[in-house]
Amino acid sequence: MTADQPETLKVASYNIRKAVGADRRHNPERIMRVLAETGADIAVLQEADRRLGERPSALPAGLVEAAGWQVVPVATSRSGIGWHGNAILVSPRIDIIRGARLKLPMLEPRGAVLADLAISGQPLRIIGAHLDLSGLWRPRQIRALGQHVDGQDEVVPTLITGDFNEWRSLPAGFQHLARHFEHIKPGPSFPARWPVAHLDRMFASPELTVEDAAVHRSALAASASDHLPIWAKLKLPPFPKPGDA
């Protein structure tokens, strides 16, 4: 069988702090401009919805659509775009196959979201998460993420990303995941104005080639949230065309 040329794409992960910046202003347009600066094909967001009532989106749906993003369907309310603050946006060149909500063990409200996607027919799975702040539940949440990956019906190239709220390099709870995934630390991303902590990370399955990874730094990003976005440029494995011999 022959194969298509492998696709290359850019994935960003960004804790947008409900679109409240360093000036304490809720400014979703500023967040959208930062996302545009990253040049990402996929944006995995944390704190993308409000905490009260139906947890409406911190980014108005019309604004997201006007910027050319598709929203992966994981929300439980009409006014939201995420679940426990986790949301995934994709560019028009990417097909959304499905979205799913992943339960995590928790004391405070936490969860993760999954998107099965296709890029020119080539499959990719994205998992976005925002883990426990205290650290007491993070090891269990990391193990649960690994179990969710193992429990999927189909093995697909997978990227797990988000705000892991972990200041240490690779604590015990992360080692199981790191044995099966490449641990990507693009750089310190928190706090945005004087970043010193690697809270935002990525884990790539062996099928993915990580061509580059970094923290997105700009004056706008330093003011838009308390985190800077991180990103990775990924190459998908060659994907055989159906019916090719």
Side-chain angles (χ1 to χ4, degrees), residues 125-197:
R125 179 169 291 145
I126 299 289
I127 294 176
H130 188 185
L131 301 190
D132 174 65
L133 184 62
S134 72
L136 298 175
W137 288 78
R138 278 200 297 272
R140 280 173 278 187
Q141 290 170 345
I142 285 287
R143 287 194 294 271
L145 285 174
Q147 290 165 359
H148 280 303
V149 172
D150 293 341
Q152 298 302 308
D153 293 337
E154 186 179 2
V155 177
V156 171
T158 299
L159 181 77
I160 303 172
T161 187
D163 179 358
F164 289 86
N165 268 321
E166 181 55 67
W167 290 69
R168 296 168 293 175
S169 177
L170 192 64
F174 285 68
Q175 290 175 5
H176 172 75
L177 194 60
R179 281 196 294 269
H180 303 280
F181 288 76
E182 180 180 352
H183 184 198
I184 307 168
K185 292 172 61 178
S189 55
F190 179 86
R193 289 191 170 183
W194 301 280
V196 295

Side-chain angles (χ1 to χ4, degrees), residues 24 48 79 82 94 97 108 131 148 164 169 197 210 214:
R24 299 186 181 181
S79 57
I94 297 174
I97 308 303
E108 53 186 331
L131 301 190
H148 280 303
F164 289 86
S169 177
V210 181

